Amino acid sequence: MPPAAATTPWDLTPAIDLLKTLSLSATKEPSWVPILDESTDKAHDKQPSLGNFDKIFDFIEQNKVRRDLNKYHKSSLQQSFENAAPLEGEKVTQDKAVRWRDEDIGTDLEDRREPSPDTIPALREEVAAIRREKRAAKKAKKKAEKEATVAYVNEGKEAVVQLESGPDTITDLESDAESERLRHSPDRKAVIQSILNPTPDPAQGGPSPSVSLSKASAVSILKRDWPVADPFHYKLNQKIAARKFEIESIDGLNSKDRKLALIKNLQNDFPHEQKLLLNPGISDPKFSALNTSSAGVHIFIDISNIMIGFHDCLKLARELPITDRVRRVPMSFHNFSLILERGRPTAKRVLVGSDKYPAIDEAKTLGYETNIMDRVHKSKELTPRQKRFQNGNATSGASSGSETDRRATPAKWVEQGVDELLHMKMLESLVDASKPSTIILATGDAAEAEFSAGFMKMVERALEKGWMVELVSFKLNTSSLYKRRDFRTRWGEMFEWIQLDGYVESLLGFPDSAAVS
């Protein structure tokens, strides 16, 4: 009986080969050595043991290196596409790039092959064809949306026309003809007002209802169909304007206390007239009206110039720009007359202006002759002095009345004859008075008037006749001609300039209920 065949041991060669392929380098199979001491324990820590997955991690790291190499090859291929010249009519974009499927799913493709140089032109042509198809589809979509929007807008317009015109219908041709007629109408302002302010039909009992268009249709309406803006139609909110540009009192005094404070200030500023200012009746307006004498002072007031300076000074005191428009501030004319008269008897009181203020009525009760001239709409002809400065020639010399150069300012509502009337009143005092006295001129104007030589010439005539002249005005509205050194040196103490800026708060004429802000 033959001997039994020996049992063939298991062949583990494939498994061993698999382990060898998983490793980065060939390593010698370690032999298990029993742990005898610390030295052998430390040496054993360096050898693979049960639960050691270092080889698997090494395999994953190797696979990562392979993916990095694949990405490098793909970036090189993409760079070659970008460097290639684009096709005619193709738009090159920097933000678009080819995305690979393995980048999306995070794995490597086994069937991916790098294209050969011979296939690159064909691939580029294929990509360009796809882009052209997408652009054509996008343009067609936009065109369809635009046509749909225009059709929707036209339907809305037709609905509006039908509602406004009633049962009658208007064709597109008639509508276009009417639009062209309105556009070329000579009275465009009336047409604009009719659009912005449609007049309701009394028979219908109110305005016609309107059709609400969507946002897309409102944007698509052509600019020529938009309503024309009328800057003269929309008014500024008066409440907001009054609250923002209204000047109020800041001293916290009522009218009586403000007057007493003014008299005290005048006593300190004019000590030589302190005796007159101590009169107990000086604060009573009736006393001022009766305080007259043929040898008294002659007062002439250009109220227009004074009111302009009054408001400008209030703006500066409240740190407002001079160009800001403010509501008219009431002025206490009795307090103003105290500054002018200071308790002295008066022989003549004249006030001239072109606007009516409440202060004008108060001046009448104090015995002032008031002359309010109407404004006229005209273009003022430039004076000879204005013409010289406009031409850049400031040389002195009189201008003949036969000049052909009659340049004028644009036509507007202006004063006429106001300064000239005041000049005439001053000359009457110079002629009619038995002996020279004092002229108190309340204005800062010194320019030549339209039909007169101006206030400066009148002041010089009075000084030459031996009269004393007091100029009372606000600093900002006073002509520099009165400040010239040669003029002040020549006349010395005969001419005195009294500035009103220090008394501006005392001139406020607010009622007692509104005096405290």
Side-chain angles (χ1 to χ4, degrees), residues 382-415:
L382 299 180
T383 63
R385 185 171 181 271
Q386 292 173 337
K387 294 177 182 178
R388 290 197 302 271
F389 276 93
Q390 190 179 58
N391 295 332
N393 180 18
T395 57
S396 60
S399 175
S400 62
S402 59
E403 291 182 356
T404 58
D405 186 6
R406 300 183 61 85
R407 288 168 292 181
T409 60
K412 57 183 178 179
W413 290 96
V414 295
E415 292 182 342

mmCIF file of all heavy atoms in Angstrom, residues 382-415:
data_model
loop_
_atom_site.group_PDB
_atom_site.id
_atom_site.type_symbol
_atom_site.label_atom_id
_atom_site.label_comp_id
_atom_site.label_asym_id
_atom_site.label_seq_id
_atom_site.Cartn_x
_atom_site.Cartn_y
_atom_site.Cartn_z
ATOM 1 N N LEU A 382 -27.216 151.226 -16.250
ATOM 2 C CA LEU A 382 -26.041 151.350 -15.398
ATOM 3 C C LEU A 382 -25.649 152.811 -15.255
ATOM 4 O O LEU A 382 -25.716 153.587 -16.211
ATOM 5 C CB LEU A 382 -24.871 150.550 -15.978
ATOM 6 C CG LEU A 382 -25.076 149.038 -16.120
ATOM 7 C CD1 LEU A 382 -23.830 148.398 -16.715
ATOM 8 C CD2 LEU A 382 -25.393 148.420 -14.772
ATOM 9 N N THR A 383 -25.254 153.147 -14.043
ATOM 10 C CA THR A 383 -24.778 154.509 -13.797
ATOM 11 C C THR A 383 -23.395 154.693 -14.412
ATOM 12 O O THR A 383 -22.699 153.717 -14.710
ATOM 13 C CB THR A 383 -24.718 154.776 -12.285
ATOM 14 O OG1 THR A 383 -23.772 153.875 -11.691
ATOM 15 C CG2 THR A 383 -26.078 154.561 -11.648
ATOM 16 N N PRO A 384 -22.971 155.943 -14.621
ATOM 17 C CA PRO A 384 -21.618 156.154 -15.185
ATOM 18 C C PRO A 384 -20.520 155.495 -14.355
ATOM 19 O O PRO A 384 -19.567 154.948 -14.906
ATOM 20 C CB PRO A 384 -21.488 157.684 -15.188
ATOM 21 C CG PRO A 384 -22.893 158.181 -15.283
ATOM 22 C CD PRO A 384 -23.716 157.208 -14.511
ATOM 23 N N ARG A 385 -20.649 155.524 -13.028
ATOM 24 C CA ARG A 385 -19.624 154.892 -12.193
ATOM 25 C C ARG A 385 -19.635 153.376 -12.375
ATOM 26 O O ARG A 385 -18.590 152.728 -12.438
ATOM 27 C CB ARG A 385 -19.869 155.257 -10.726
ATOM 28 C CG ARG A 385 -18.790 154.749 -9.774
ATOM 29 C CD ARG A 385 -19.000 155.334 -8.383
ATOM 30 N NE ARG A 385 -17.970 154.879 -7.456
ATOM 31 C CZ ARG A 385 -18.053 153.776 -6.729
ATOM 32 N NH1 ARG A 385 -19.144 153.022 -6.832
ATOM 33 N NH2 ARG A 385 -17.086 153.425 -5.914
ATOM 34 N N GLN A 386 -20.819 152.775 -12.465
ATOM 35 C CA GLN A 386 -20.903 151.337 -12.682
ATOM 36 C C GLN A 386 -20.344 150.946 -14.037
ATOM 37 O O GLN A 386 -19.712 149.896 -14.180
ATOM 38 C CB GLN A 386 -22.370 150.885 -12.559
ATOM 39 C CG GLN A 386 -22.930 150.988 -11.152
ATOM 40 C CD GLN A 386 -24.413 150.689 -11.107
ATOM 41 O OE1 GLN A 386 -25.119 150.814 -12.097
ATOM 42 N NE2 GLN A 386 -24.899 150.309 -9.922
ATOM 43 N N LYS A 387 -20.569 151.770 -15.028
ATOM 44 C CA LYS A 387 -20.012 151.477 -16.347
ATOM 45 C C LYS A 387 -18.492 151.528 -16.329
ATOM 46 O O LYS A 387 -17.824 150.700 -16.963
ATOM 47 C CB LYS A 387 -20.555 152.478 -17.373
ATOM 48 C CG LYS A 387 -22.048 152.356 -17.630
ATOM 49 C CD LYS A 387 -22.522 153.419 -18.590
ATOM 50 C CE LYS A 387 -24.016 153.345 -18.807
ATOM 51 N NZ LYS A 387 -24.510 154.422 -19.707
ATOM 52 N N ARG A 388 -17.937 152.479 -15.598
ATOM 53 C CA ARG A 388 -16.469 152.589 -15.549
ATOM 54 C C ARG A 388 -15.848 151.361 -14.890
ATOM 55 O O ARG A 388 -14.851 150.816 -15.370
ATOM 56 C CB ARG A 388 -16.074 153.864 -14.792
ATOM 57 C CG ARG A 388 -16.383 155.151 -15.535
ATOM 58 C CD ARG A 388 -15.594 156.306 -14.937
ATOM 59 N NE ARG A 388 -15.867 156.498 -13.522
ATOM 60 C CZ ARG A 388 -16.833 157.265 -13.040
ATOM 61 N NH1 ARG A 388 -17.650 157.912 -13.880
ATOM 62 N NH2 ARG A 388 -17.007 157.401 -11.738
ATOM 63 N N PHE A 389 -16.447 150.920 -13.780
ATOM 64 C CA PHE A 389 -15.897 149.753 -13.095
ATOM 65 C C PHE A 389 -16.138 148.478 -13.880
ATOM 66 O O PHE A 389 -15.354 147.545 -13.822
ATOM 67 C CB PHE A 389 -16.513 149.630 -11.699
ATOM 68 C CG PHE A 389 -15.826 150.483 -10.681
ATOM 69 C CD1 PHE A 389 -16.289 151.763 -10.406
ATOM 70 C CD2 PHE A 389 -14.701 150.028 -10.005
ATOM 71 C CE1 PHE A 389 -15.662 152.565 -9.474
ATOM 72 C CE2 PHE A 389 -14.064 150.822 -9.071
ATOM 73 C CZ PHE A 389 -14.539 152.104 -8.799
ATOM 74 N N GLN A 390 -17.233 148.423 -14.652
ATOM 75 C CA GLN A 390 -17.491 147.237 -15.467
ATOM 76 C C GLN A 390 -16.492 147.132 -16.605
ATOM 77 O O GLN A 390 -16.078 146.035 -16.989
ATOM 78 C CB GLN A 390 -18.912 147.279 -16.018
ATOM 79 C CG GLN A 390 -19.348 145.977 -16.679
ATOM 80 C CD GLN A 390 -20.757 146.062 -17.196
ATOM 81 O OE1 GLN A 390 -21.075 146.926 -18.006
ATOM 82 N NE2 GLN A 390 -21.612 145.156 -16.737
ATOM 83 N N ASN A 391 -16.056 148.257 -17.112
ATOM 84 C CA ASN A 391 -15.052 148.261 -18.175
ATOM 85 C C ASN A 391 -13.638 148.104 -17.642
ATOM 86 O O ASN A 391 -12.691 148.054 -18.425
ATOM 87 C CB ASN A 391 -15.146 149.557 -18.981
ATOM 88 C CG ASN A 391 -16.461 149.665 -19.734
ATOM 89 O OD1 ASN A 391 -17.068 148.646 -20.087
ATOM 90 N ND2 ASN A 391 -16.917 150.896 -19.966
ATOM 91 N N GLY A 392 -13.482 148.085 -16.315
ATOM 92 C CA GLY A 392 -12.156 147.969 -15.734
ATOM 93 C C GLY A 392 -11.407 149.273 -15.697
ATOM 94 O O GLY A 392 -10.196 149.311 -15.466
ATOM 95 N N ASN A 393 -12.099 150.387 -15.896
ATOM 96 C CA ASN A 393 -11.462 151.706 -15.899
ATOM 97 C C ASN A 393 -12.052 152.499 -14.753
ATOM 98 O O ASN A 393 -13.182 152.952 -14.810
ATOM 99 C CB ASN A 393 -11.704 152.410 -17.238
ATOM 100 C CG ASN A 393 -11.065 153.786 -17.277
ATOM 101 O OD1 ASN A 393 -10.190 154.076 -16.463
ATOM 102 N ND2 ASN A 393 -11.493 154.611 -18.208
ATOM 103 N N ALA A 394 -11.292 152.639 -13.680
ATOM 104 C CA ALA A 394 -11.779 153.331 -12.486
ATOM 105 C C ALA A 394 -11.306 154.773 -12.423
ATOM 106 O O ALA A 394 -11.316 155.394 -11.371
ATOM 107 C CB ALA A 394 -11.313 152.578 -11.231
ATOM 108 N N THR A 395 -10.882 155.356 -13.551
ATOM 109 C CA THR A 395 -10.412 156.738 -13.539
ATOM 110 C C THR A 395 -11.582 157.661 -13.326
ATOM 111 O O THR A 395 -12.712 157.399 -13.743
ATOM 112 C CB THR A 395 -9.724 157.060 -14.866
ATOM 113 O OG1 THR A 395 -10.644 156.813 -15.933
ATOM 114 C CG2 THR A 395 -8.495 156.173 -15.062
ATOM 115 N N SER A 396 -11.309 158.747 -12.654
ATOM 116 C CA SER A 396 -12.364 159.710 -12.362
ATOM 117 C C SER A 396 -12.680 160.521 -13.606
ATOM 118 O O SER A 396 -11.904 160.604 -14.545
ATOM 119 C CB SER A 396 -11.910 160.636 -11.229
ATOM 120 O OG SER A 396 -10.734 161.333 -11.609
ATOM 121 N N GLY A 397 -13.842 161.133 -13.546
ATOM 122 C CA GLY A 397 -14.256 161.965 -14.668
ATOM 123 C C GLY A 397 -15.739 161.875 -14.854
ATOM 124 O O GLY A 397 -16.336 160.821 -14.689
ATOM 125 N N ALA A 398 -16.375 162.968 -15.200
ATOM 126 C CA ALA A 398 -17.821 162.999 -15.379
ATOM 127 C C ALA A 398 -18.177 162.414 -16.715
ATOM 128 O O ALA A 398 -17.430 162.492 -17.686
ATOM 129 C CB ALA A 398 -18.331 164.435 -15.270
ATOM 130 N N SER A 399 -19.341 161.781 -16.773
ATOM 131 C CA SER A 399 -19.816 161.175 -18.008
ATOM 132 C C SER A 399 -20.886 162.053 -18.606
ATOM 133 O O SER A 399 -21.791 162.522 -17.919
ATOM 134 C CB SER A 399 -20.377 159.778 -17.703
ATOM 135 O OG SER A 399 -20.948 159.219 -18.849
ATOM 136 N N SER A 400 -20.804 162.298 -19.894
ATOM 137 C CA SER A 400 -21.779 163.146 -20.572
ATOM 138 C C SER A 400 -23.087 162.401 -20.738
ATOM 139 O O SER A 400 -23.131 161.182 -20.807
ATOM 140 C CB SER A 400 -21.244 163.566 -21.952
ATOM 141 O OG SER A 400 -21.047 162.426 -22.759
ATOM 142 N N GLY A 401 -24.158 163.120 -20.824
ATOM 143 C CA GLY A 401 -25.475 162.506 -20.943
ATOM 144 C C GLY A 401 -25.780 162.034 -22.336
ATOM 145 O O GLY A 401 -26.827 161.446 -22.564
ATOM 146 N N SER A 402 -24.917 162.288 -23.305
ATOM 147 C CA SER A 402 -25.186 161.903 -24.687
ATOM 148 C C SER A 402 -24.432 160.640 -25.077
ATOM 149 O O SER A 402 -24.174 160.407 -26.246
ATOM 150 C CB SER A 402 -24.786 163.040 -25.633
ATOM 151 O OG SER A 402 -23.396 163.333 -25.472
ATOM 152 N N GLU A 403 -24.055 159.812 -24.089
ATOM 153 C CA GLU A 403 -23.325 158.594 -24.414
ATOM 154 C C GLU A 403 -24.240 157.617 -25.128
ATOM 155 O O GLU A 403 -25.423 157.492 -24.827
ATOM 156 C CB GLU A 403 -22.775 157.957 -23.136
ATOM 157 C CG GLU A 403 -21.669 158.768 -22.497
ATOM 158 C CD GLU A 403 -21.137 158.066 -21.255
ATOM 159 O OE1 GLU A 403 -21.703 157.018 -20.902
ATOM 160 O OE2 GLU A 403 -20.177 158.570 -20.672
ATOM 161 N N THR A 404 -23.676 156.912 -26.101
ATOM 162 C CA THR A 404 -24.446 155.910 -26.838
ATOM 163 C C THR A 404 -24.440 154.559 -26.131
ATOM 164 O O THR A 404 -25.230 153.686 -26.470
ATOM 165 C CB THR A 404 -23.876 155.755 -28.256
ATOM 166 O OG1 THR A 404 -22.493 155.370 -28.153
ATOM 167 C CG2 THR A 404 -23.969 157.049 -29.014
ATOM 168 N N ASP A 405 -23.542 154.365 -25.168
ATOM 169 C CA ASP A 405 -23.466 153.110 -24.423
ATOM 170 C C ASP A 405 -24.536 153.109 -23.336
ATOM 171 O O ASP A 405 -24.376 153.728 -22.296
ATOM 172 C CB ASP A 405 -22.077 152.948 -23.801
ATOM 173 C CG ASP A 405 -21.920 151.587 -23.135
ATOM 174 O OD1 ASP A 405 -22.848 150.761 -23.281
ATOM 175 O OD2 ASP A 405 -20.878 151.372 -22.487
ATOM 176 N N ARG A 406 -25.640 152.416 -23.573
ATOM 177 C CA ARG A 406 -26.761 152.413 -22.642
ATOM 178 C C ARG A 406 -27.028 150.980 -22.152
ATOM 179 O O ARG A 406 -28.139 150.476 -22.197
ATOM 180 C CB ARG A 406 -28.012 152.990 -23.306
ATOM 181 C CG ARG A 406 -27.832 154.411 -23.778
ATOM 182 C CD ARG A 406 -29.128 154.960 -24.354
ATOM 183 N NE ARG A 406 -30.208 154.980 -23.389
ATOM 184 C CZ ARG A 406 -30.406 155.962 -22.525
ATOM 185 N NH1 ARG A 406 -29.574 157.002 -22.499
ATOM 186 N NH2 ARG A 406 -31.413 155.909 -21.679
ATOM 187 N N ARG A 407 -25.976 150.323 -21.711
ATOM 188 C CA ARG A 407 -26.129 148.968 -21.181
ATOM 189 C C ARG A 407 -26.964 149.006 -19.906
ATOM 190 O O ARG A 407 -26.869 149.945 -19.120
ATOM 191 C CB ARG A 407 -24.769 148.341 -20.903
ATOM 192 C CG ARG A 407 -24.018 147.968 -22.168
ATOM 193 C CD ARG A 407 -22.585 147.636 -21.848
ATOM 194 N NE ARG A 407 -21.867 148.827 -21.408
ATOM 195 C CZ ARG A 407 -20.587 148.814 -21.079
ATOM 196 N NH1 ARG A 407 -19.906 147.684 -21.124
ATOM 197 N NH2 ARG A 407 -19.984 149.933 -20.692
ATOM 198 N N ALA A 408 -27.752 147.961 -19.683
ATOM 199 C CA ALA A 408 -28.670 147.931 -18.542
ATOM 200 C C ALA A 408 -28.694 146.529 -17.969
ATOM 201 O O ALA A 408 -28.268 145.556 -18.593
ATOM 202 C CB ALA A 408 -30.079 148.368 -18.972
ATOM 203 N N THR A 409 -29.222 146.427 -16.752
ATOM 204 C CA THR A 409 -29.378 145.136 -16.096
ATOM 205 C C THR A 409 -30.631 144.441 -16.617
ATOM 206 O O THR A 409 -31.493 145.078 -17.220
ATOM 207 C CB THR A 409 -29.492 145.340 -14.581
ATOM 208 O OG1 THR A 409 -30.625 146.166 -14.315
ATOM 209 C CG2 THR A 409 -28.239 145.998 -14.033
ATOM 210 N N PRO A 410 -30.765 143.121 -16.409
ATOM 211 C CA PRO A 410 -31.987 142.430 -16.838
ATOM 212 C C PRO A 410 -33.226 143.012 -16.161
ATOM 213 O O PRO A 410 -33.177 143.501 -15.035
ATOM 214 C CB PRO A 410 -31.739 140.976 -16.408
ATOM 215 C CG PRO A 410 -30.260 140.857 -16.321
ATOM 216 C CD PRO A 410 -29.752 142.201 -15.888
ATOM 217 N N ALA A 411 -34.351 142.939 -16.835
ATOM 218 C CA ALA A 411 -35.592 143.517 -16.318
ATOM 219 C C ALA A 411 -36.063 142.746 -15.092
ATOM 220 O O ALA A 411 -36.070 141.517 -15.079
ATOM 221 C CB ALA A 411 -36.676 143.482 -17.402
ATOM 222 N N LYS A 412 -36.459 143.470 -14.056
ATOM 223 C CA LYS A 412 -36.985 142.889 -12.834
ATOM 224 C C LYS A 412 -37.720 143.979 -12.062
ATOM 225 O O LYS A 412 -37.684 145.158 -12.422
ATOM 226 C CB LYS A 412 -35.861 142.295 -11.982
ATOM 227 C CG LYS A 412 -34.775 143.287 -11.613
ATOM 228 C CD LYS A 412 -33.671 142.602 -10.830
ATOM 229 C CE LYS A 412 -32.551 143.590 -10.496
ATOM 230 N NZ LYS A 412 -31.469 142.921 -9.710
ATOM 231 N N TRP A 413 -38.386 143.573 -10.954
ATOM 232 C CA TRP A 413 -39.104 144.527 -10.119
ATOM 233 C C TRP A 413 -38.102 145.238 -9.219
ATOM 234 O O TRP A 413 -37.456 144.617 -8.373
ATOM 235 C CB TRP A 413 -40.158 143.815 -9.280
ATOM 236 C CG TRP A 413 -41.302 143.293 -10.101
ATOM 237 C CD1 TRP A 413 -41.456 142.039 -10.584
ATOM 238 C CD2 TRP A 413 -42.429 144.047 -10.553
ATOM 239 N NE1 TRP A 413 -42.622 141.940 -11.312
ATOM 240 C CE2 TRP A 413 -43.244 143.168 -11.311
ATOM 241 C CE3 TRP A 413 -42.841 145.364 -10.400
ATOM 242 C CZ2 TRP A 413 -44.429 143.569 -11.900
ATOM 243 C CZ3 TRP A 413 -44.033 145.770 -10.993
ATOM 244 C CH2 TRP A 413 -44.803 144.893 -11.731
ATOM 245 N N VAL A 414 -37.991 146.529 -9.406
ATOM 246 C CA VAL A 414 -36.973 147.314 -8.694
ATOM 247 C C VAL A 414 -37.605 148.602 -8.163
ATOM 248 O O VAL A 414 -38.706 148.996 -8.556
ATOM 249 C CB VAL A 414 -35.791 147.667 -9.629
ATOM 250 C CG1 VAL A 414 -35.052 146.405 -10.056
ATOM 251 C CG2 VAL A 414 -36.290 148.445 -10.852
ATOM 252 N N GLU A 415 -36.881 149.221 -7.221
ATOM 253 C CA GLU A 415 -37.284 150.539 -6.730
ATOM 254 C C GLU A 415 -37.009 151.614 -7.783
ATOM 255 O O GLU A 415 -36.052 151.507 -8.555
ATOM 256 C CB GLU A 415 -36.524 150.874 -5.452
ATOM 257 C CG GLU A 415 -36.882 150.016 -4.250
ATOM 258 C CD GLU A 415 -36.125 150.436 -3.008
ATOM 259 O OE1 GLU A 415 -35.098 151.136 -3.150
ATOM 260 O OE2 GLU A 415 -36.554 150.075 -1.898
#
